[in-house]
Amino acid sequence: MRITSFVRPSLGLAAASLLLLAACSSDDEPAAAPAPAPVVPPAATPAPAASPSVAFMTDVHFEDVYGDFKNAQFSGIPTKDGKNATIRTMYAQLTSTRLFNENYFAFRAALDDAFAKGIRLVALPGDYSDDAQPININGISAILHEYQAKGMRFFIAPGNHDPNEPYDDDEAGKSDFLTRDGKEQKVFATGNAACKAKDPTVICTNELLEMGYEKLITQLSDFGYMPNKADLHWETPFSKYPGGKYSYAEAMVSGDVRNRQFEMCAEGEGGVYRADGEKALGKPFTKCSDIIDSSYLVEPVKGLWLLSIDANVFIPNASFDPANPKAFKGFDGAGNAGWNKVLTHKRHQMEWIKSVTARARAEGKQLMAFSHYPTMDFYANQTDAMKAVFKPGAFQTARVPAAATTAALAATGLRLHVGGHMHFNGTNDYQDAAGNFLVNVQSPSLAVYGASYKVVTYKDADTVDVSTVALTSVPRFNELFALYESEYAYLQGSSAEADIKKRWNHAILDTRSYGEFTRYYFGELSRLRFMDEYWPCEMKEAATSLNAKQMLILSQLDTRVTLAQLKDAPGVVPLSASCAAKGTVAGTPAPATQLAADWADATTRAGKLAAAAGLKLDDFANVGAYDFHGDFHRTVYAGELALRDMGAERVRMYKVLMAAFPAKPAAPLRVGSQPSDQNPVHVLFQDQFKQVFSIFKGLGSAKPSDHFTVDLKAKTVTNANPGGLSFN
């Protein structure tokens, strides 16, 4: 198994003797979200100079590709190994920001690689499953128990896919499981309306029910959600240890779900915060109900604290029924807002984080905090620019935390946080006027392009090494490829318009490694989804029609020939006026034939720019439109890793383009909200793509995200990979 790695060897860790835990119950009333009392772990001595490495595997989105639906009507696709594959269609994968099938093998490869490196502590910051169905939770639990038996420990934080809702959803399911004849099969939980109506086209099984907190904590209790006898310390935000002295027995009581609840109201957190909140709001809180917070702090080895933060916020909505407060339809998730809603709806959590960070410093603990959601701008501070250029809501910019949220988290004293959710590889930091310094490490998903995991190691009390292990070769990654052939054949043979739209490029089944497969997958995702969803019409036309040579020439073009005249000058530039509104002709336009001469002049200028960078203009033509928009989207997700994939020469080409545009492009003419067809051919492109390439540069020249060092005392993030590529 070949895995690209820039990881320094782990310090190693003697395997702990791991015990299976049974949930313990208590007759105590649910906690009312008090601020936690300080606790003193045993043997509170200074931490060692260096701690064991921790692997962060984020957004695994595990689906058990050989899971059992426990329904005789549909058991999946028989394989030559005698198993049944219960997998999603290739089309479903190619139009999703996560894979559903091949990541099963990537997860095992990542665990094997971490184990081989001597890493025994693994954190899973949310979306460890793809919607918390029993079939998938049982599957991942079996794998984690398998590696636990080898001496590994696992620590989970919940994501917005696990759970999807705070309580069980018995109406959930998926419509796109693959059948042996290449078609889609609907599989729903038994409470779904189609199941109740006995729809013969639907397979009904509670293996597709989406579990809420209580079932997840019970079934995954061995993986951080409950204490382990080997732990030196374990607590929840609500733990109160008699005399401030930790004990495993008391920790088990703390871990009971009845002792991990707080009052959630539509307007904010209730309990001890309710009166203050109502006073600030000027009216009573409504739709209040107790809800579980699955956060915990654990010291698995002496001196190392892992802080698992449940940043999910499920807010009572208009369907909330006080008579049935555990109905899943009564809550909305805050996946978009992420941490923003923690400030108002999980106030106890902010106080707890402040307490944990203060105790960690006082006791010399090396603290690693992780949650599912980013704590700051994850677009390398390009969010505002992206909002200005692309379609409203493009690139899920609503998920970027507010500046005030980042400031509030930094003010708790938290210094290091590992997040996921966005499937991005990236790093950012924040420092306030008081000197608080917070670093957010975005750990990429194993189920997307740039599939990697992070390895975080304290080298001393204030120095943290962060390395990225990229999975380029995964054993068995193509094990399911033969099963997709029937889907491809069906779609090619179908004349139904819906099926024709779902046709995908068969070449993806010719890929020879997981790295190559995910790269191709992201190109298809760009083509099949992102270009329509994110790019305005005229920008999409340019990005899907022009190669890098034509883009460079257009950046230099100066002509009076308009978009409306392009039909009279065929063969010069592959653009049209199809996305523009009919405008009013002003003055005497230049003849359409002038475009060829102007294009020739621009070509000469573009050639000089290429030559000045030691490149040939014709080589830019090798970067086609499909390559360009794929590279842009891959850089959005993978940052520095995407540039390494592009290679040094293509990076140099993009750097030429980034510097090629006029300092102040002419402002486009508009008819209402649409561009006018009376714009000269170059104007729209130069105005829009100057901004696109500026964003591209920002994404590819951000804080180091491959291998870097965080100095918490000096408040710096320093590249530890001098050979890394950048657009700077």
Side-chain angles (χ1 to χ4, degrees):
M1 174 178 66
R2 179 170 54 85
I3 295 185
T4 302
S5 172
F6 293 91
V7 178
R8 296 175 181 174
S10 168
L11 298 174
L13 173 66
S17 175
L18 305 176
L19 303 175
L20 300 180
L21 306 178
C24 179
S25 62
S26 167
D27 293 329
D28 295 342
E29 291 297 317
V39 293
V40 181
T45 55
S51 292
S53 298
V54 180
F56 287 84
M57 299 182 185
T58 309
D59 293 278
V60 172
H61 284 285
F62 180 88
E63 289 204 21
D64 192 346
V65 297
Y66 294 115
D68 184 1
F69 286 136
K70 298 179 181 178
N71 185 314
Q73 290 180 282
F74 183 69
S75 56
I77 307 172
T79 69
K80 62 181 180 181
D81 299 324
K83 296 179 287 189
N84 289 318
T86 47
I87 61 176
R88 311 279 285 280
T89 65
M90 177 61 80
Y91 176 79
Q93 298 200 116
L94 297 181
T95 51
S96 172
T97 53
R98 63 190 185 275
L99 294 168
F100 302 118
N101 304 329
E102 281 64 39
N103 45 310
Y104 171 94
F105 307 107
F107 182 44
R108 278 192 169 277
L111 292 174
D112 287 338
D113 184 70
F115 185 82
K117 286 180 167 65
I119 298 171
R120 297 296 180 264
L121 304 177
V122 180
L124 303 173
D127 286 4
Y128 46 85
S129 75
D130 205 65
D131 297 333
Q133 306 95 332
I135 190 173
N136 297 326
I137 294 301
N138 291 336
I140 195 170
S141 178
I143 289 176
L144 297 183
H145 276 117
E146 175 187 337
Y147 284 85
Q148 182 177 263
K150 298 179 181 181
M152 298 183 92
R153 291 286 308 277
F154 297 96
F155 305 94
I156 286 173
N160 58 302
H161 282 269
D162 34 40
N164 261 336
E165 299 89 7
Y167 303 105
D168 295 352
D169 177 357
D170 64 351
E171 298 179 10
K174 307 295 179 184
S175 300
D176 48 23
F177 283 95
L178 183 62
T179 67
R180 68 175 72 192
D181 57 359
K183 298 179 181 179
E184 295 177 336
Q185 175 62 57
K186 297 175 182 177
V187 184
F188 296 145
T190 56
N192 187 275
C195 292
K196 290 180 177 179
K198 301 188 183 303
D199 185 336
T201 68
V202 174
I203 301 301
C204 299
T205 171
N206 275 335
E207 288 299 301
L208 264 288
L209 172 149
E210 293 177 356
M211 294 191 288
Y213 273 118
E214 191 163 350
K215 282 189 173 71
L216 285 172
I217 290 173
T218 299
Q219 293 194 224
L220 299 174
S221 62
D222 293 338
F223 313 119
Y225 278 145
M226 290 290 287
N228 186 302
K229 283 186 177 178
D231 297 331
L232 299 175
H233 181 75
W234 188 94
E235 68 176 81
T236 77
F238 315 112
S239 294
K240 288 183 177 180
Y241 293 111
K245 185 177 181 180
Y246 174 76
S247 75
Y248 170 71
E250 289 294 333
M252 287 294 289
V253 174
S254 288
D256 189 286
V257 293
R258 288 175 292 181
N259 298 321
R260 302 171 80 167
Q261 299 186 38
F262 66 101
E263 187 179 47
M264 171 70 76
C265 304
E267 296 80 8
E269 179 167 0
V272 297
Y273 306 98
R274 186 166 181 169
D276 176 58
E278 290 180 335
K279 182 178 179 181
L281 185 65
K283 60 180 182 179
F285 279 8
T286 61
K287 302 182 178 70
C288 298
S289 173
D290 287 341
I291 200 165
I292 294 170
D293 180 347
S294 66
S295 302
Y296 60 90
L297 170 70
V298 61
E299 185 174 7
V301 295
K302 188 176 181 179
L304 177 65
W305 277 10
L306 298 178
L307 179 60
S308 171
I309 304 171
D310 177 359
N312 281 340
V313 182
F314 295 103
I315 302 175
N317 59 27
S319 299
F320 179 79
D321 180 3
N324 188 16
K326 294 188 177 183
F328 72 91
K329 291 182 179 179
F331 296 84
D332 290 329
N336 271 354
W339 275 98
N340 290 346
K341 291 296 183 182
V342 171
L343 270 59
T344 54
H345 288 71
K346 283 190 169 181
R347 294 173 60 182
H348 71 275
Q349 203 172 83
M350 297 295 289
E351 293 184 9
W352 179 59
I353 293 170
K354 186 175 182 178
S355 168
V356 169
T357 57
R359 286 182 279 142
R361 290 196 186 190
E363 298 170 23
K365 305 299 182 182
Q366 295 177 343
L367 178 64
M368 298 182 191
F370 61 100
S371 75
H372 186 55
Y373 302 100
T375 58
M376 62 188 69
D377 191 331
F378 43 76
Y379 279 125
N381 302 319
Q382 298 299 309
T383 299
D384 289 342
M386 295 170 83
K387 288 180 179 179
V389 175
F390 294 98
K391 285 183 177 180
F395 295 102
Q396 299 178 317
T397 51
R399 291 184 168 186
V400 175
T405 299
T406 302
L409 279 162
T412 66
L414 187 65
R415 299 193 292 176
L416 178 67
H417 174 269
V418 180
H421 190 42
M422 298 307 301
H423 303 182
F424 290 177
N425 174 63
T427 312
N428 208 348
D429 59 27
Y430 172 86
Q431 185 172 348
D432 65 17
N436 293 303
F437 179 64
L438 172 61
V439 175
N440 185 79
V441 177
Q442 277 303 108
S443 181
S445 170
L446 296 179
V448 74
Y449 170 76
S452 310
Y453 68 92
K454 298 285 186 182
V455 178
V456 181
T457 311
Y458 269 90
K459 294 302 183 182
D460 56 45
D462 293 305
T463 308
V464 183
D465 182 86
V466 182
S467 298
T468 307
V469 184
L471 276 69
T472 58
S473 183
V474 169
R476 301 169 57 196
F477 87 97
N478 58 356
E479 185 167 295
L480 305 169
F481 278 21
L483 306 184
Y484 300 127
E485 293 286 0
S486 60
E487 177 189 353
Y488 180 82
Y490 168 74
L491 293 175
Q492 291 298 120
S494 174
S495 59
E497 183 177 352
D499 290 333
I500 292 172
K501 289 180 179 179
K502 292 180 179 179
R503 290 176 180 173
W504 40 269
N505 194 327
H506 187 275
I508 195 168
L509 301 183
D510 297 327
T511 53
R512 295 164 293 180
S513 69
Y514 190 64
E516 186 182 352
F517 171 74
T518 57
R519 187 181 192 282
Y520 204 111
Y521 143 67
F522 229 68
E524 287 294 273
L525 176 61
S526 177
R527 177 180 69 87
L528 293 169
R529 177 176 169 184
F530 288 161
M531 297 312 297
D532 281 328
E533 199 169 296
Y534 296 164
W535 295 64
C537 179
E538 66 280 4
M539 287 174 59
K540 175 191 172 184
E541 181 191 37
T544 56
S545 302
L546 302 168
N547 61 40
K549 176 182 177 180
Q550 292 163 329
M551 286 186 168
L552 187 56
I553 296 169
L554 264 169
S555 76
Q556 303 302 300
L557 183 64
D558 186 5
T559 185
R560 290 173 53 223
V561 178
T562 66
L563 292 171
Q565 294 174 279
L566 279 173
K567 65 182 185 303
D568 301 319
V572 180
V573 54
L575 294 177
S576 72
S578 62
C579 296
K582 187 172 180 60
T584 303
V585 178
T588 305
T593 54
Q594 180 63 34
L595 183 60
D598 294 340
W599 186 263
D601 290 342
T603 300
T604 299
R605 289 191 290 274
K608 291 178 179 178
L609 290 176
L615 299 165
K616 296 179 181 178
L617 180 59
D618 284 345
D619 290 342
F620 281 69
N622 295 328
V623 182
Y626 186 80
D627 299 311
F628 162 70
H629 62 72
D631 284 343
F632 182 88
H633 293 129
R634 282 186 282 265
T635 304
V636 168
Y637 275 74
E640 194 175 338
L641 302 181
L643 273 64
R644 185 175 66 196
D645 185 36
M646 292 175 205
E649 182 171 314
R650 186 174 294 187
V651 168
R652 286 167 62 202
M653 290 181 183
Y654 284 138
K655 289 173 72 172
V656 171
L657 274 157
M658 289 165 185
F661 290 82
K664 293 184 178 180
L669 301 171
R670 294 196 172 273
V671 179
S673 61
Q674 286 184 275
S676 169
D677 66 358
Q678 294 306 306
N679 279 297
V681 171
H682 63 285
V683 168
L684 267 180
F685 177 83
Q686 290 181 5
D687 175 70
Q688 294 172 327
F689 278 78
K690 179 181 175 67
Q691 298 176 79
V692 169
F693 276 102
S694 175
I695 292 167
F696 199 3
K697 180 177 181 179
L699 294 168
S701 54
K703 298 281 183 181
S705 61
D706 185 356
H707 185 194
F708 55 94
T709 300
V710 179
D711 189 325
L712 296 171
K713 187 174 183 180
K715 299 169 184 173
T716 58
V717 178
T718 305
N719 194 359
N721 179 24
L725 295 172
S726 170
F727 285 143
N728 281 329

